[in-house]
Amino acid sequence: MNSSQSIRALFQPFAIGNVSLANRIVMAPMTRQFSPDGVPGSDVAAYYRRRAENGVGLIVTEGTVINHPDSSNQMNVPHFYGETALQGWENIVDTVHAAGGRIVPQIWHMGARGNVNDYSQSEITEIVEAFAQAASDARRLGFDGIELHGAHGYLIDQFFWEKTNSRTDHYGGDMIARTRFATEVIEACRRAVGPEFPIVLRFSQWKSSSYTAKLAETPAQLERFLAPLVDAGVDVFHCSTRRFWEPEFEGSDLNLAGWTKKLTGKPTITVGSVGLDGDFMSLFTEGKGAENAKIDGLIERLEREEFDLVAVGRALLVDPTWANKIREGRTDELIPFTSEAVKTLY
């Protein structure tokens, strides 16, 4: 694994439309709450710069919320609206680009305070328009694309999941109907940014309230779920799992990113405990960190083109130089993910 031959696949360039990435390493979005009153400052810019200048091919920012009253319940999560916050993001874009990196914001609505069944059509329309405005601002500020957060039980995912969406109008019902809110968001964003600006959608089967949840129980169901999202304009699917090495369905070794690529033909990003030996929730549920783990299996899957890009979260959180250390074979210098290391969040 330490030889340049064995990691070559991870450091091949990749293009998403007109956006060229130097390698296949993506910094996964990680909420940090380091933006007082929603405004990301110079410290946030420095945080992303360190990853860009140390070999990360694409940075997906922490979740940044749209202009809607219920979009956030945490005051230090960054906003993606308002002059001051957007100026902060513009500085971050310029800083990352100056370091040779690529960056997309993760556009987020945390979800209904009650449930999605209570939203009126007028409020849904307002939220869709807020997503589109954020997408438009992202392009204006110079970002390299956007990621829509449709995973983990947040708003878009609340519409996806039958356990949280029991609406009887055209936003609820069967699996296809439950994708309507997301498709309206994607279509509105596409209109706002034009045909060439990359749109990434992050989705998951699991929810923060239910690790065993499934939007799709079979590959056929997953294909039905994904088709409207492709038609709406998704360029890349970011397929969130807790452990990338776990098969998604019985009878195949393919993970969620592998199945998504196979069924849609679209590029996919895999994620889930990359470079570590435990899933990310163990720190919070059990107080456990994670040791560094070999990535031979990951490389083998990438070489087979099971997926196209690899998102790294905690390993990059504690070690900004993770990508360069992997590329140079300096794995003995990798910093383990521990509770003490997490406190720095640098």
Side-chain angles (χ1 to χ4, degrees):
M1 196 275 287
N2 291 339
S3 71
S4 60
Q5 179 68 29
S6 66
I7 62 168
R8 182 174 297 174
L10 196 57
F11 290 91
Q12 292 297 305
F14 189 74
I16 303 173
N18 294 330
V19 176
S20 298
L21 308 180
N23 58 54
R24 307 302 181 93
I25 298 174
V26 177
M27 181 177 181
M30 291 173 282
T31 297
R32 298 166 66 242
Q33 300 189 54
F34 275 21
S35 297
D37 297 321
V39 177
S42 59
D43 58 327
V44 179
Y47 165 79
Y48 289 118
R49 186 201 70 241
R50 284 191 286 272
R51 278 76 187 171
E53 66 190 10
N54 280 290
V56 172
L58 175 66
I59 291 169
V60 181
T61 75
E62 61 211 282
T64 178
V65 296
I66 62 171
N67 188 11
H68 181 259
D70 285 345
S71 67
S72 175
N73 57 17
Q74 298 167 349
M75 65 181 299
N76 294 327
V77 164
H79 297 169
F80 211 78
Y81 62 89
E83 182 178 355
T84 307
L86 292 178
Q87 286 177 348
W89 283 117
E90 185 172 27
N91 179 53
I92 290 168
V93 172
D94 293 344
T95 300
V96 167
H97 285 170
R102 298 286 195 176
I103 184 168
V104 302
Q106 187 186 71
I107 307 300
W108 192 21
H109 188 301
M110 292 186 185
R113 294 185 181 181
N115 58 69
V116 299
N117 307 311
D118 297 332
Y119 279 125
S120 66
Q121 179 62 63
S122 62
E123 188 166 18
I124 288 174
T125 299
E126 289 174 4
I127 295 170
V128 170
E129 291 173 351
F131 271 107
Q133 183 61 56
S136 177
D137 286 333
R139 183 177 183 183
R140 176 177 60 83
L141 296 175
F143 279 96
D144 299 295
I146 61 167
E147 175 171 289
L148 298 171
H149 196 344
H152 307 164
Y154 296 115
L155 184 64
I156 292 175
D157 196 26
Q158 288 176 338
F159 276 90
F160 284 154
W161 197 28
E162 62 181 351
K163 297 291 178 64
T164 47
N165 181 355
S166 58
R167 297 178 71 102
T168 57
D169 61 3
H170 47 265
Y171 292 103
D174 64 13
M175 175 179 283
I176 303 304
R178 294 195 302 275
T179 68
R180 178 162 181 158
F181 174 72
T183 60
E184 288 186 0
V185 169
I186 296 161
E187 289 167 350
C189 289
R190 177 58 70 202
R191 289 191 296 270
V193 300
E196 303 299 326
F197 195 70
I199 295 177
V200 182
L201 176 68
R202 194 179 216 209
F203 80 100
S204 67
Q205 298 259 47
W206 68 275
K207 322 299 168 198
S208 57
S209 61
S210 177
Y211 296 146
T212 59
K214 293 278 190 181
L215 295 174
E217 297 283 352
T218 65
Q221 288 181 2
L222 183 62
E223 186 171 25
R224 290 183 63 234
F225 168 74
L226 294 169
L229 307 173
V230 172
D231 292 344
V234 172
D235 296 301
V236 179
F237 286 98
H238 188 173
C239 308
S240 181
T241 55
R242 296 175 68 206
R243 305 174 182 91
F244 79 86
W245 57 85
E246 293 183 344
E248 192 58 36
F249 302 113
E250 290 186 10
S252 168
D253 289 335
L254 291 178
N255 68 9
L256 184 60
W259 272 111
T260 299
K261 181 177 180 179
K262 179 177 181 177
L263 295 171
T264 67
K266 292 291 185 179
T268 59
I269 305 170
T270 196
V271 68
S273 303
V274 172
L276 300 174
D277 65 357
D279 72 77
F280 77 99
M281 290 303 295
S282 62
L283 177 73
F284 307 104
T285 59
E286 304 170 40
K288 291 169 57 179
E291 293 298 320
N292 296 309
K294 292 184 178 181
I295 57 172
D296 304 60
L298 177 77
I299 299 298
E300 290 171 4
R301 288 168 179 256
L302 188 61
E303 287 176 335
R304 294 198 303 265
E305 300 183 348
E306 180 177 334
F307 37 74
D308 303 282
L309 298 162
V310 176
V312 183
R314 291 169 296 153
L316 267 173
L317 182 67
V318 299
D319 192 348
T321 62
W322 185 89
N324 277 346
K325 286 176 180 176
I326 292 292
R327 180 173 57 84
E328 296 164 5
R330 296 186 289 129
T331 54
D332 58 328
E333 298 177 22
L334 294 171
I335 300 171
F337 179 83
T338 64
S339 58
E340 287 303 311
V342 164
K343 290 177 183 177
T344 64
L345 294 180
Y346 66 109

